[in-house]
């Protein structure tokens, strides 16, 4: 599980990958990743599309 630090209230906590990426203390979305990795999805070059 990645470890985060809230940039507003300075609380450190861990979240599962399925959890909402918000601080459980102040509900802020401004987080810093301290340890672990977070999934970022596919890169733009990996996405496929069709042009007609």
């Amino acid at each position: 599980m990645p470890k985060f630090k809230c940039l507003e209230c300075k609380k450190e906590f861990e979240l599962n990958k399925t959890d909402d990426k918000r601080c459980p203390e102040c509900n802020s979305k401004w987080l810093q990743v301290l340890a672990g990795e977070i999934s970022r999805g596919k890169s733009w070059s990996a996405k496929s599309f069709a042009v007609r």
Side-chain angles (χ1 to χ4, degrees):
M1 285 194 312
K3 188 172 185 177
F4 296 94
K5 179 179 181 180
C6 178
L7 296 176
E8 291 189 19
C9 70
K10 309 298 187 222
K11 179 175 174 59
E12 294 184 10
F13 54 92
E14 292 182 351
L15 292 175
N16 291 325
K17 292 183 179 183
T18 58
D19 289 344
D20 188 25
K21 301 296 188 271
R22 290 186 177 265
C23 176
E25 188 75 23
C26 68
N27 206 26
S28 172
K29 65 179 180 175
W30 299 103
L31 306 176
Q32 176 183 10
V33 179
L34 297 177
E37 294 185 12
I38 55 173
S39 63
R40 298 182 186 263
K42 292 183 178 181
S43 67
W44 280 99
S45 61
K47 293 183 180 178
S48 61
F49 58 92
V51 177
R52 293 182 178 213

